[in-house]
Amino acid sequence: MQPIWCPGCGDYGALQSCVRALQELGRKPKDTVIVSGIGCSGRLPYFVDAYGFHTLHGRALPIALGVKLANPDLTVIVVGGDGDGFGIGGGHVPHIARRNVDITYLILDNGVYALTKGHSSPTTSPGQRTPSAVRGEEAKPLDIVGLLLAYRSSFIAAAHTADRPTLTSIIKEGILHPGFSAIHIYSPCPTYNELMTPDSLRESIRLLPQSHDRHNFASAIAAHYGNNGFVGGILYQEKDSAPLNPRREPASESQRRFLELAGRYA
Ligand SMILES: Cc1ncc(C[n+]2csc(CCOP(=O)(O)OP(=O)(O)O)c2C)c(N)n1
Ligand code: SF4
Ligand SMILES: [Mg+2]
């Protein structure tokens, strides 16, 4: 299917980078599943030659967990918006992170609920006027990378869709990472958010220097908070990350019971 996003939508860049990453890694469509939530971003699986599951608003992560438990050999990618993942679905992210499920999560953040015509999302800028905040947004925006750091995700990266080569290489590394790889991607919505543009992203987001030690958690925190949250690259990657693996002996009684329960539904 041809994409039906508006002209200039950042999600085209995310789509291109995602497909290129899968191609460059030689992942075959039959071995790949893209699971999405609801939103403009949630349409992405339609446009990729792989298995896709357009799920419910905010519920892509638990469904992806089920897919991965049922067949751990699959490459599982989750795509969702800022509202999908950090509004209605915000309660799922920490639990996928702490279980270190081996999936790659592409968070397409456009700062609005675009599909439902531009009302405020958890990342809308303070003062920004939207149909649900006509005098300007009063709430503080969520810091998505800050949350991923707090959840101790085993792979945390940030990128934007106006720099597709960097985004592609980060997605590749995220797919190769054994565990939960979460990538915060600024993806402009020219229809409903005039504050976020490709130029503003290129100007404000600085790539991490080569010297950044991605295995050092304290360095990741310093890089993120030292730049007001506007850095691109791989901030953190846990060394010796051990993902949840249903084929391995469970490490504890509670893990065994969790896997047994999940297996019953798989
Ligand atoms: C349970 C439920 N509540 C609300 C909606 C309405 N709804 C659809 S998409 C959406 C928000 C989408 O925003 P975001 O996740 O940021 O994705 P975007 O469209 O910006 O890519 C909402 C509230 C829904 N489909 N299902
Ligand atoms: S409304 Fe915004 S996010 Fe949705 S397709 Fe159009 S530009 Fe993209
Ligand atoms: Mg959005």
Side-chain angles (χ1 to χ4, degrees), residues 86-167:
F86 290 84
I88 190 168
H92 293 300
V93 189
H95 304 289
I96 296 291
R98 73 195 178 86
R99 293 202 162 98
N100 204 16
V101 184
D102 188 11
I103 59 181
T104 299
Y105 184 24
L106 309 180
I107 304 150
L108 300 190
D109 182 0
N110 52 19
V112 284
Y113 283 178
L115 187 75
T116 45
K117 302 201 179 301
H119 57 281
S120 296
S121 83
T123 57
T124 297
S125 301
Q128 185 171 351
R129 286 169 192 255
T130 72
S132 59
V134 289
R135 289 191 298 269
E137 181 55 51
E138 288 171 6
K140 284 187 256 180
L142 281 186
D143 171 5
I144 289 183
V145 169
L147 286 169
L148 295 169
L149 286 163
Y151 300 154
R152 298 302 292 251
S153 303
S154 63
F155 180 105
I156 304 167
H160 62 85
T161 55
D163 179 359
R164 296 186 192 184
T166 304
L167 179 56

